[in-house]
Every structure is written in structure tokens, then in C-alpha cells.
Amino acid sequence: MTFRNLLKLENNTALLAISLLIIVLYSFVFSPLLNQTKQLQNELTAERQLSTYLNQAKQQLANIPNYPALSKINAQKQINNAFQAQKIKLKSLTIQNKLGVVSINKIAFEKLLGILQQLKNQHGIVVTEALIKRIDTGVVSAQLTFQIP
């Protein structure tokens, strides 16, 4: 063996050792770090999505009006006042267990919608059931069931 062959063999061995070292480092150090980075990125994305969802839910809850609970007498008074302000006479009004039932012989449909919107916005009194019959053009009779806060 000549000196050149020995030098070539040493260079090839060194090159092989360096290549083997790079493969071992990649396999046991860099590859697990890359996998852990990908996993952390996925977790971070999921956390951001959850944070966004919770912030949106928080905003929606903040926008929900909080109406005080109404007693039977106060609820009856608020409903009567809303209809009397529009000069509408109620056929009957009964309230039991946070439900109110109103019967109206004759009312303009537009007025009815306005009164219902007013009751909802100002007092949280919401219609859960409605039986509405057309009497004439734009005029109806109604039986309404209200949910009272």
C-alpha cells in the first residue's frame, strides 16, 4: 500500500465517519426536535382557535341583555301598559308560573309587532307561542303566550 492509498482510505473513513455522525445527529437530535416543533405548532393553533371561540362567546354573552325578574303583578302591569299606550284593549290577560297569556280581539298587525318588540327590548318579555287570525287587511286577532323573566 502506498502513501496515497492510505491517505485516500483515511479521507474516505473520515468522510464516512462525518456522514455517519450527521445521520446519527439527524436521527436522534434534529428529527425529534422537528417533530416536537410540529406538535407544538399544532397545539398552538388549537389554543388560538379556542381562544378566538371563547372571546366570541364572551362578546355574545356580554351583548345579551340582563333583565330583572318580574313579579306576576309587575309583568301584568308592563304588558297592560304596552298595549294601553297604543290604545289597544285586551280581551284577557292571565299570568301563571312565568307564562302570560294575552287575548286580543282586534289589533293592527303593525302595532302588534311594535308592542311585542317593545316588550322584548325593554322588559325581556318574549312571545313563545302565537295564534294570529286575519280579520281584515292589516288587522288581526291574537292569542299570545309570553315567557316572563
Side-chain angles (χ1 to χ4, degrees):
M1 261 201 180
T2 65
F3 183 70
R4 281 187 177 177
N5 288 342
L6 282 174
L7 214 71
K8 255 185 176 177
L9 185 61
E10 264 184 35
N11 284 341
N12 287 341
T13 306
L15 191 57
L16 183 63
I18 290 172
S19 298
L20 188 59
L21 180 64
I22 290 172
I23 291 171
V24 168
L25 280 175
Y26 180 78
S27 297
F28 293 107
V29 176
F30 296 120
S31 181
L33 283 176
L34 288 173
N35 289 338
Q36 187 177 13
T37 301
K38 286 180 184 177
Q39 182 181 356
L40 289 174
Q41 286 289 346
N42 290 339
E43 289 176 10
L44 185 61
T45 300
E47 293 294 328
R48 284 183 182 147
Q49 289 172 345
L50 178 61
S51 176
T52 300
Y53 170 77
L54 290 175
N55 284 335
Q56 289 172 348
K58 179 182 172 184
Q59 287 175 347
Q60 287 175 347
L61 288 174
N63 290 336
I64 295 174
N66 187 13
Y67 299 105
L70 294 174
S71 68
K72 181 179 176 179
I73 294 170
N74 283 342
Q76 191 170 11
K77 181 179 175 185
Q78 296 304 330
I79 293 170
N80 267 328
N81 288 345
F83 283 98
Q84 285 177 356
Q86 295 293 324
K87 297 180 174 58
I88 304 299
K89 185 173 179 177
L90 300 178
K91 180 179 176 183
S92 67
L93 170 60
T94 57
I95 297 179
Q96 296 176 354
N97 299 327
K98 298 294 180 182
L99 287 178
V101 179
V102 173
S103 292
I104 306 165
N105 283 336
K106 188 176 179 182
I107 185 170
F109 188 68
E110 294 281 329
K111 280 187 180 182
L112 177 63
L113 292 179
I115 293 169
L116 297 179
Q117 189 67 43
Q118 175 189 349
L119 287 170
K120 177 184 173 263
N121 292 342
Q122 292 179 358
H123 307 289
I125 300 172
V126 181
V127 173
T128 56
E129 291 180 36
L131 177 62
I132 300 174
K133 293 181 181 175
R134 181 175 179 246
I135 296 174
D136 200 3
T137 304
V139 179
V140 296
S141 68
Q143 181 173 343
L144 308 168
T145 303
F146 292 98
Q147 179 69 42
I148 299 167

Coordinates of all heavy atoms in Angstrom, one line a residue, residues 23-65:
I23 N -25.9 11.6 10.1 CA -27.1 10.8 10.1 C -27.6 10.5 11.6 O -28.8 10.6 11.9 CB -26.9 9.4 9.4 CG1 -26.7 9.7 7.9 CG2 -28.0 8.4 9.6 CD1 -26.2 8.5 7.1
V24 N -26.6 10.2 12.5 CA -27.0 9.9 13.9 C -27.6 11.2 14.5 O -28.6 11.1 15.2 CB -25.8 9.4 14.6 CG1 -26.0 9.4 16.1 CG2 -25.4 8.0 14.2
L25 N -26.9 12.3 14.3 CA -27.4 13.6 14.8 C -28.8 13.9 14.3 O -29.7 14.3 15.1 CB -26.5 14.8 14.5 CG -25.2 14.9 15.4 CD1 -24.3 16.0 14.8 CD2 -25.6 15.1 16.8
Y26 N -29.0 13.7 13.0 CA -30.3 14.0 12.4 C -31.4 13.0 13.0 O -32.5 13.5 13.4 CB -30.3 13.8 10.9 CG -31.7 14.1 10.3 CD1 -32.1 15.4 10.1 CD2 -32.5 13.1 9.9 CE1 -33.4 15.7 9.6 CE2 -33.8 13.3 9.4 CZ -34.2 14.6 9.2 OH -35.4 14.9 8.7
S27 N -31.0 11.7 13.1 CA -32.0 10.8 13.6 C -32.3 10.9 15.1 O -33.5 10.8 15.5 CB -31.4 9.3 13.4 OG -31.3 9.1 12.0
F28 N -31.3 11.2 15.9 CA -31.6 11.3 17.3 C -31.7 12.7 17.9 O -32.2 12.8 19.0 CB -30.5 10.5 18.1 CG -30.5 9.0 17.8 CD1 -29.5 8.5 17.0 CD2 -31.5 8.2 18.3 CE1 -29.5 7.1 16.7 CE2 -31.5 6.9 18.0 CZ -30.5 6.3 17.2
V29 N -31.4 13.7 17.2 CA -31.5 15.0 17.7 C -32.4 15.9 16.9 O -33.4 16.4 17.4 CB -30.1 15.7 17.8 CG1 -30.2 17.2 18.3 CG2 -29.2 14.9 18.7
F30 N -32.1 16.1 15.7 CA -32.9 17.1 14.9 C -34.3 16.6 14.5 O -35.3 17.3 14.6 CB -32.1 17.4 13.6 CG -30.9 18.1 13.8 CD1 -29.7 17.6 13.4 CD2 -30.9 19.4 14.5 CE1 -28.5 18.3 13.7 CE2 -29.7 20.0 14.8 CZ -28.5 19.5 14.3
S31 N -34.4 15.3 14.2 CA -35.7 14.8 13.8 C -36.7 14.8 15.0 O -37.9 15.3 14.8 CB -35.6 13.3 13.3 OG -36.8 12.8 12.9
P32 N -36.3 14.4 16.2 CA -37.3 14.6 17.3 C -37.6 16.0 17.6 O -38.7 16.4 18.0 CB -36.6 13.9 18.5 CG -35.6 13.0 17.9 CD -35.2 13.6 16.6
L33 N -36.6 16.9 17.4 CA -36.9 18.3 17.7 C -37.9 18.9 16.6 O -38.8 19.6 17.0 CB -35.6 19.1 17.6 CG -34.7 19.1 18.8 CD1 -33.4 19.8 18.6 CD2 -35.4 19.5 20.1
L34 N -37.7 18.5 15.4 CA -38.7 18.9 14.3 C -40.1 18.4 14.6 O -41.1 19.1 14.5 CB -38.2 18.4 13.0 CG -37.0 19.2 12.4 CD1 -36.5 18.5 11.1 CD2 -37.3 20.6 12.2
N35 N -40.2 17.1 15.0 CA -41.5 16.5 15.4 C -42.1 17.2 16.5 O -43.3 17.5 16.5 CB -41.4 15.0 15.7 CG -41.1 14.2 14.4 OD1 -41.3 14.6 13.3 ND2 -40.5 13.0 14.6
Q36 N -41.3 17.5 17.5 CA -41.8 18.3 18.7 C -42.3 19.7 18.3 O -43.3 20.2 18.8 CB -40.8 18.3 19.8 CG -41.3 18.9 21.1 CD -40.2 18.9 22.2 OE1 -39.1 18.7 22.0 NE2 -40.7 19.1 23.4
T37 N -41.5 20.3 17.4 CA -41.9 21.6 16.9 C -43.2 21.6 16.2 O -44.1 22.5 16.4 CB -40.8 22.2 16.0 OG1 -39.6 22.3 16.8 CG2 -41.2 23.6 15.5
K38 N -43.4 20.6 15.4 CA -44.7 20.4 14.6 C -45.8 20.2 15.6 O -46.9 20.8 15.5 CB -44.6 19.3 13.6 CG -43.8 19.6 12.4 CD -43.8 18.4 11.5 CE -42.9 18.6 10.3 NZ -42.8 17.4 9.4
Q39 N -45.6 19.4 16.6 CA -46.6 19.1 17.6 C -47.0 20.4 18.4 O -48.2 20.7 18.6 CB -46.2 18.0 18.6 CG -47.2 17.7 19.6 CD -46.8 16.6 20.6 OE1 -45.7 16.0 20.4 NE2 -47.6 16.3 21.6
L40 N -46.0 21.2 18.8 CA -46.2 22.4 19.5 C -46.9 23.4 18.6 O -47.8 24.2 19.1 CB -44.9 23.0 20.0 CG -44.3 22.2 21.2 CD1 -42.9 22.8 21.5 CD2 -45.1 22.2 22.4
Q41 N -46.6 23.5 17.3 CA -47.3 24.4 16.4 C -48.8 24.0 16.3 O -49.7 24.9 16.3 CB -46.7 24.3 15.0 CG -45.3 25.0 14.9 CD -45.5 26.5 15.0 OE1 -46.5 27.1 14.9 NE2 -44.3 27.2 15.2
N42 N -49.1 22.7 16.2 CA -50.5 22.2 16.2 C -51.2 22.6 17.4 O -52.4 23.0 17.4 CB -50.5 20.7 15.9 CG -50.1 20.3 14.5 OD1 -50.1 21.2 13.6 ND2 -49.7 19.1 14.3
E43 N -50.6 22.4 18.6 CA -51.2 22.7 19.9 C -51.4 24.2 20.0 O -52.5 24.7 20.4 CB -50.3 22.3 21.0 CG -50.3 20.8 21.2 CD -49.4 20.3 22.3 OE1 -48.8 21.1 23.1 OE2 -49.2 19.1 22.4
L44 N -50.5 25.0 19.5 CA -50.6 26.5 19.5 C -51.8 26.9 18.6 O -52.5 27.8 19.0 CB -49.3 27.1 19.0 CG -49.2 28.6 19.1 CD1 -49.4 29.1 20.5 CD2 -47.9 29.1 18.6
T45 N -51.9 26.3 17.5 CA -53.0 26.6 16.6 C -54.3 26.3 17.2 O -55.3 27.1 17.2 CB -52.9 25.8 15.2 OG1 -51.6 26.2 14.6 CG2 -54.0 26.1 14.3
A46 N -54.4 25.1 17.9 CA -55.6 24.7 18.6 C -56.0 25.7 19.7 O -57.1 26.1 19.9 CB -55.5 23.3 19.1
E47 N -54.9 26.1 20.4 CA -55.1 27.1 21.5 C -55.6 28.4 21.0 O -56.5 29.0 21.6 CB -53.8 27.2 22.3 CG -53.4 26.0 23.1 CD -54.4 25.6 24.2 OE1 -55.0 26.5 24.8 OE2 -54.5 24.4 24.5
R48 N -55.1 28.8 19.9 CA -55.5 30.1 19.3 C -57.0 30.0 18.9 O -57.8 31.0 19.1 CB -54.7 30.5 18.1 CG -53.3 31.0 18.5 CD -52.5 31.5 17.3 NE -51.2 31.9 17.7 CZ -50.1 31.8 17.0 NH1 -50.2 31.2 15.8 NH2 -49.0 32.3 17.4
Q49 N -57.4 28.9 18.3 CA -58.8 28.7 17.8 C -59.7 28.7 19.1 O -60.7 29.3 19.0 CB -58.9 27.4 17.0 CG -58.3 27.5 15.7 CD -58.3 26.1 15.0 OE1 -58.5 25.1 15.6 NE2 -58.0 26.2 13.7
L50 N -59.3 28.0 20.1 CA -60.1 28.0 21.3 C -60.2 29.4 21.9 O -61.3 29.8 22.3 CB -59.5 27.0 22.3 CG -60.2 26.9 23.7 CD1 -61.6 26.5 23.5 CD2 -59.4 26.0 24.6
S51 N -59.1 30.1 21.9 CA -59.1 31.5 22.5 C -60.1 32.4 21.7 O -60.8 33.2 22.2 CB -57.7 32.1 22.5 OG -57.7 33.4 22.9
T52 N -60.0 32.3 20.4 CA -60.9 33.0 19.5 C -62.4 32.7 19.8 O -63.2 33.6 19.9 CB -60.6 32.8 18.0 OG1 -59.2 33.1 17.8 CG2 -61.5 33.6 17.1
Y53 N -62.6 31.4 19.9 CA -64.0 30.9 20.2 C -64.5 31.5 21.5 O -65.6 32.0 21.6 CB -64.1 29.4 20.1 CG -65.4 28.9 20.7 CD1 -66.5 28.9 19.9 CD2 -65.5 28.4 22.0 CE1 -67.7 28.4 20.3 CE2 -66.7 27.9 22.4 CZ -67.8 27.9 21.6 OH -69.0 27.5 22.1
L54 N -63.6 31.4 22.5 CA -64.0 31.9 23.9 C -64.2 33.4 23.9 O -65.2 33.9 24.5 CB -63.0 31.5 24.9 CG -62.9 30.0 25.2 CD1 -61.7 29.7 26.2 CD2 -64.2 29.5 25.8
N55 N -63.4 34.1 23.1 CA -63.6 35.6 23.0 C -64.9 35.9 22.4 O -65.6 36.8 22.8 CB -62.4 36.2 22.3 CG -61.2 36.3 23.2 OD1 -61.3 36.4 24.4 ND2 -60.0 36.4 22.6
Q56 N -65.2 35.2 21.3 CA -66.5 35.4 20.6 C -67.7 35.1 21.5 O -68.7 35.8 21.6 CB -66.6 34.6 19.3 CG -65.7 35.1 18.2 CD -65.6 34.2 17.0 OE1 -66.1 33.0 17.1 NE2 -65.0 34.6 15.9
A57 N -67.6 34.0 22.2 CA -68.7 33.6 23.2 C -68.8 34.7 24.3 O -69.9 35.0 24.7 CB -68.4 32.2 23.8
K58 N -67.7 35.2 24.7 CA -67.7 36.2 25.8 C -68.4 37.5 25.3 O -69.2 38.1 26.0 CB -66.3 36.5 26.2 CG -66.2 37.6 27.3 CD -64.7 37.9 27.6 CE -64.5 39.0 28.5 NZ -63.1 39.3 28.7
Q59 N -68.1 37.9 24.0 CA -68.8 39.0 23.5 C -70.3 38.8 23.3 O -71.1 39.7 23.5 CB -68.1 39.4 22.1 CG -66.8 40.0 22.2 CD -66.1 40.2 20.9 OE1 -66.6 39.7 19.9 NE2 -65.0 40.9 20.9
Q60 N -70.7 37.6 22.9 CA -72.1 37.3 22.7 C -72.8 37.3 24.0 O -73.9 37.9 24.1 CB -72.3 35.9 22.0 CG -71.9 35.9 20.6 CD -72.0 34.5 20.0 OE1 -72.1 33.5 20.6 NE2 -71.9 34.5 18.6
L61 N -72.2 36.8 25.1 CA -72.8 36.8 26.4 C -72.9 38.2 26.9 O -73.8 38.6 27.6 CB -72.0 35.9 27.4 CG -72.1 34.4 27.1 CD1 -71.2 33.7 28.1 CD2 -73.5 34.0 27.3
A62 N -71.9 39.0 26.6 CA -71.9 40.4 27.1 C -73.0 41.2 26.4 O -73.6 42.2 27.0 CB -70.6 41.1 26.9
N63 N -73.4 40.8 25.2 CA -74.4 41.5 24.4 C -75.8 41.1 24.8 O -76.8 41.8 24.4 CB -74.2 41.3 22.9 CG -73.0 42.1 22.4 OD1 -72.5 43.0 23.0 ND2 -72.4 41.6 21.3
I64 N -75.9 40.0 25.5 CA -77.3 39.5 25.9 C -77.7 40.4 27.1 O -77.1 40.6 28.1 CB -77.2 38.1 26.4 CG1 -76.9 37.2 25.2 CG2 -78.6 37.7 27.0 CD1 -76.7 35.7 25.6
P65 N -78.9 41.1 26.9 CA -79.4 41.9 27.9 C -79.8 41.1 29.2 O -80.3 40.0 29.0 CB -80.6 42.6 27.3 CG -80.9 41.9 26.1 CD -79.7 41.0 25.7

